[in-house]
Amino acid sequence: MDFDHVMRSQYDSPSSVRTEEVTSDVRKGPWTAEEDALLANHVKIHGEGRWNLVARRAGLKRTGKSCRLRWLNYLRPDLRRGNMTLEEQLLILELHCRWGNRWSKIAQHLPGRTDNEVKNYWRTRVQKLAKHLKCDVNSKQFRDAMRCVWMPRFLEQIRASTGQFRASTQGPSDRPAEDPPRTHGIGSGYPVYDDHRDSLPELSSSVSSSDSSDPRFSSSPSPNQAGGIGSECFGLGSGDGPNYWTGCAQWWRPGVDAGEQEDINGCLVGEDSLESLWNEEDAWFLQQQLLE
DNA sequence: AATTATACCAACCGCTTCGGA
DNA sequence: TTCCGAAGCGGTTGGTATAAT
């Protein structure tokens, strides 16, 4: 298929992007199926890399950057599609806690997911949640909420749904005495998320079952993982000033409107998730803990 | 049914880092 | 060691689909 054919087919499209591109030598905007085919074919034969060359040789009027991005984010055969699993969501929260907005680094631990996907997930779901709570997504308060409430709930749900989740985290009972739990310990039956460990969570459900040999899932810590980022994680230690816990208690007010609460839960796991990650009893418990 | 708001995500932009000459 | 092009990365934008009014 030649490039003229590609161009013709797009001129037939009503998209507003098209008209602008006619005047430029470099095409921008959405990729057509023909372009995808050209790029995929070329990479299949010649491999990745030298993207400017790829663009030229494949007969694409795209920049090398654009080709690279299209391949990595859409055409790569090993990409996973569909909604993030609970395991993936939990891992994103955990890794973001460690590394912040290092999307590419985080995505490396989610086989088949791209940095763009992870970034979009964070922006749409997690930031939406922060917005609901009327706080900054990077604030300590929000991080604590993540650590205290949603991350344990994710673990619980994963356990419940798979029955085989081998959390690398240890329950309160088998934790060494010199390393007391730093979480709230809701209801004593909840898993405690251990932000001290250096290795990544071991996943045994859909994510890892088919990818267990993937080196990106190695449980050995990378230099960075063992480094200082963890110290910035959701510690519940000292508090951040006079209004800090008061602010937390305000979010976790048991009397929060039911619809709003549902909405908040939906932010993280979607409406079709297993069950609510939130209940009023826990909110009350948290409030008491936090006000101490 | 039409309009508006919101959510999602693909793609772009600009900066930084890397690697080879 | 320096320069320069390629590649990588994170932030942002804009289009489309869906929900709400």
Side-chain angles (χ1 to χ4, degrees), chain A residues 44-66:
Chain A
K44 193 175 169 186
I45 295 167
H46 299 99
E48 300 178 38
R50 310 287 295 179
W51 291 106
N52 283 329
L53 216 58
V54 167
R56 278 204 302 275
R57 286 182 175 167
L60 291 161
K61 289 200 169 180
R62 295 273 182 176
T63 64
K65 267 176 108 166
S66 181

Side-chain angles (χ1 to χ4, degrees), chain A residues 207-225:
Chain A
V207 175
S208 57
S209 58
S210 59
D211 300 308
S212 55
S213 61
D214 194 313
R216 289 173 294 187
F217 256 120
S218 164
S219 60
S220 28
S222 71
N224 277 340
Q225 287 162 7

Side-chain angles (χ1 to χ4, degrees), chain A residues 253-266 278-280 283:
Chain A
R253 181 175 83 255
V256 65
D257 171 67
E260 187 182 347
Q261 213 156 63
E262 197 173 306
D263 205 17
I264 288 170
N265 293 329
W278 183 270
N279 65 53
E280 294 199 2

